[in-house]
Amino acid sequence: MDLKSLIRDIPDFPKPGILFRDITTLLRDPDGLHYAIDSLAEKCTAAGLNASYVVGIESRGFIIGAALAYKLRAGFIPVRKPGKLPFQVYSVEYELEYGMDRLEMHQDALQAGSRVLIVDDLIATGGTASATAKLVQQIGCELMGFGFIIELQDLQGRKRLPPDVPVVTLINY
Ligand code: AMP
């Protein structure tokens, strides 16, 4: 299936110069969604990423990550923007193009040794995924891999991720 044909390109969103890769058109397509999740799950399994937990990054990472966790029979853990999670959190700061941002995860969500797969819809500069990796690795979890529907290869986000951790993607631009 040609998944790329189900991605909508929106120029200059959310600001001038950004070509936004809109996955809502893929999500609304029954066969496309089914194929995307099955393919991501198959690739993760083929790469030996037998994770017990999928960590999904707010907010599109929740959609992909929860479906993938169901398919892999793994638990799902949300990593959220500040102030959204109700229990005690660990947090990590990371750099944006302008300024800093923060991500949070419940302190009791993972334990040392938990096998974790980090999932988002798209990797661009890799800042968000690498911050999430820090959060997970600080706890002493075993980071099995990363999964993304889309990779923007020119931005070389992979280089910011921990070395020797497998990265699974479906669509490259
Ligand atoms: P980054 O931290 O630069 O890898 O950015 C990743 C996050 O920003 C992901 O959660 C994406 O959903 C979002 N993002 C970044 N660039 C784009 C883009 N061109 N189109 C759609 N989403 C994007």
Side-chain angles (χ1 to χ4, degrees), residues 18-21 60 120-129 152:
I18 303 287
L19 179 58
F20 192 84
R21 306 292 184 177
R60 287 178 298 268
D120 204 352
D121 66 326
L122 178 149
I123 177 166
T125 66
T128 313
L152 305 184

